[in-house]
Amino acid sequence: QVQLVESGGGSVQAGGSLKLSCVASGFTFIRNCMGWFRQAPGKEREEVARIFTLVGSPYYADSVKGRFTISQDIAKNTLSLQMNSLKPEDTAMYYCAADLSAPLGTCLGGQMKPSLWGQGTQVTVSS
């Protein structure tokens, strides 16, 4: 079964840290465009970070640059998002996503167009 399963969300005070994990199954993990999106209540879903697995070359939205780190564990088919210095405005549902058709150039050159989504994990940051 092709799927992405997230974990690691929770509630934290401003300035704290959380690490999200996304376990992929049912498809070849390496050499795929994968990333994290988030959606806050009343707002559109936005891309947070993106990576081309095995190759690397991460992309970050300006709002999280310097605070969030996307990483991959090839052996465990796992994509992670380390979130530090969290702010109340980071509060959202976070989704792991994969664009299984985007080649390297497309992935690194612009926004990914996910064809596969996880179920989401809630992150709440209080002030």
Side-chain angles (χ1 to χ4, degrees), residues 86-104:
L86 283 161
K87 305 175 181 180
E89 51 263 43
D90 294 318
T91 295
M93 184 71 79
Y94 283 71
Y95 298 89
C96 178
D99 182 343
L100 303 182
S101 62
L104 174 63

Side-chain angles (χ1 to χ4, degrees), residues 31-35 47 49-53 56-59 99 101-113:
R31 299 195 67 82
N32 272 305
C33 193
M34 297 189 68
E47 184 179 24
R50 165 182 6 115
I51 194 170
F52 197 81
T53 54
S57 297
Y59 156 87
D99 182 343
S101 62
L104 174 63
T106 300
C107 184
L108 302 185
Q111 287 194 343
M112 60 185 292
K113 296 179 181 180

Side-chain angles (χ1 to χ4, degrees), residues 34-50:
M34 297 189 68
W36 291 92
F37 289 70
R38 67 185 181 187
Q39 187 168 21
K43 296 187 176 181
E44 292 190 356
R45 188 174 296 187
E46 65 171 339
E47 184 179 24
V48 174
R50 165 182 6 115

Side-chain angles (χ1 to χ4, degrees), residues 3 7-8 12 22 24-25 28 32 36-37 58-59 63-64 74 100 118 120:
Q3 64 178 357
S7 62
V12 65
C22 170
S25 60
T28 301
N32 272 305
W36 291 92
F37 289 70
Y59 156 87
S63 58
V64 306
I74 302 297
L100 303 182

